[in-house]
């Protein structure tokens, strides 16, 4: 599954001549706040274009200033991504693992933002997919609210029927016990 497109000129894989962003003059100048409190303007620094792009992306709050908190947050995100996306346990993230993970995260976040009434399940473990397929009445690869409601109702019905069966079995056991006791008493009196 390919990664979703990156919005407007933020793609560092563009040709070397392409600007880091679509129109850098329309964006706030990016600064780095050092530990000593001094501020450096990124565009005036002699850094590779890709590194400037990475620094701009690290400005997660889009304030125009990359500080120690931005670096810490970005490193934390990268560590979590490396751990979460390394599905084969190799210790590094392959291009395919990254594409699959970003696509899944994008899909899930879009579904959440839309407050969707359906949930995709093809990314779940195979055993859970098997159960979800049973509930997926229309075979769409997504389980909707109506399908989950139907499954919940079927589960409740089975529970109620199970309780009824237990009562019937207990009742029959009492009847059998009564008949056995009656036969024993009748044979004793005879």
């Amino acid at each position: 599954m390919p990664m979703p497109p990156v919005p407007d000129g933020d793609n560092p894989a563009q040709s070397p001549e392409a600007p880091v962003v679509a129109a850098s003059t329309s964006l706030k100048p990016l600064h780095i706040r050092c530990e000593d409190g001094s501020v450096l303007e990124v565009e005036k620094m002699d850094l590779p274009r890709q590194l400037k792009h990475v620094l701009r992306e690290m400005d997660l709050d889009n304030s125009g200033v990359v500080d120690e908190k931005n670096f810490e947050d970005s490193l934390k995100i990268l560590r979590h991504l490396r751990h979460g996306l390394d599905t084969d346990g190799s210790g590094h993230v392959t291009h395919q693992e990254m594409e699959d993970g970003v696509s899944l995260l994008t899909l899930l976040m879009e579904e959440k933002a839309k407050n969707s009434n359906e949930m995709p399940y093809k990314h779940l473990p195979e055993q859970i997919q098997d159960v979800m397929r049973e509930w997926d009445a229309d075979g769409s690869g997504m389980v909707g609210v109506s399908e989950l409601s139907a499954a919940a109702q079927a589960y409740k019905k089975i529970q109620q029927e199970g309780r009824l069966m237990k009562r019937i079995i207990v009742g029959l056991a009492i009847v059998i016990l009564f008949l056995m006791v009656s036969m024993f008493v009748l044979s004793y009196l005879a």
Side-chain angles (χ1 to χ4, degrees):
M1 178 185 299
M3 280 195 290
V6 179
D8 295 86
D10 286 347
N11 190 347
Q14 294 172 340
S15 69
E17 300 81 38
V20 173
V21 289
S24 60
T25 56
S26 67
L27 295 175
K28 292 185 209 177
L30 184 64
H31 297 87
I32 297 176
R33 181 173 292 127
C34 302
E35 289 180 357
D36 63 2
S38 61
V39 178
L40 305 171
E41 189 172 339
V42 172
E43 291 305 318
K44 292 182 179 177
M45 298 171 74
D46 185 27
L47 298 172
R49 180 185 59 81
Q50 292 88 352
L51 184 55
K52 289 180 181 180
H53 180 74
V54 169
L55 289 170
R56 185 163 295 283
E57 292 298 320
M58 291 178 82
D59 182 19
L60 298 174
D61 58 3
N62 205 22
S63 66
V65 177
V66 177
D67 57 12
E68 191 172 333
K69 178 78 171 122
N70 292 116
F71 284 115
E72 288 172 5
D73 289 345
S74 296
L75 286 173
K76 185 177 181 181
I77 290 167
L78 287 172
R79 283 186 196 111
H80 283 289
L81 283 173
R82 179 180 291 146
H83 177 74
L85 296 178
D86 181 20
T87 56
D88 63 3
S90 64
H92 66 278
V93 178
T94 66
H95 182 73
Q96 187 63 47
E97 288 172 327
M98 182 176 52
E99 279 194 358
D100 292 347
V102 170
S103 295
L104 175 60
L105 180 60
T106 302
L107 172 69
L108 294 175
M109 294 304 288
E110 286 172 353
E111 294 295 322
K112 182 180 178 182
K114 290 189 292 187
N115 196 19
S116 178
N117 64 354
E118 289 192 313
M119 178 182 73
Y121 61 84
K122 298 208 181 231
H123 63 281
L124 298 173
E126 191 62 38
Q127 291 178 334
I128 294 174
Q129 283 186 43
D130 291 343
V131 172
M132 297 296 249
R133 264 189 226 101
E134 292 290 323
W135 296 348
D136 185 8
D138 61 2
S140 65
M142 297 181 78
V143 176
V145 172
S146 60
E147 294 164 327
L148 285 174
S149 286
Q153 291 299 326
Y155 178 73
K156 286 180 183 177
K157 185 177 179 183
I158 288 171
Q159 280 187 321
Q160 290 170 348
E161 289 173 359
R163 284 188 212 118
L164 178 63
M165 284 299 200
K166 284 181 186 176
R167 289 180 183 151
I168 291 172
I169 290 171
V170 168
L172 287 174
I174 290 172
V175 167
I176 291 171
L177 183 62
F178 175 75
L179 289 174
M180 288 177 64
V181 169
S182 297
M183 287 178 60
F184 177 73
V185 169
L186 286 175
S187 64
Y188 182 73
L189 291 176

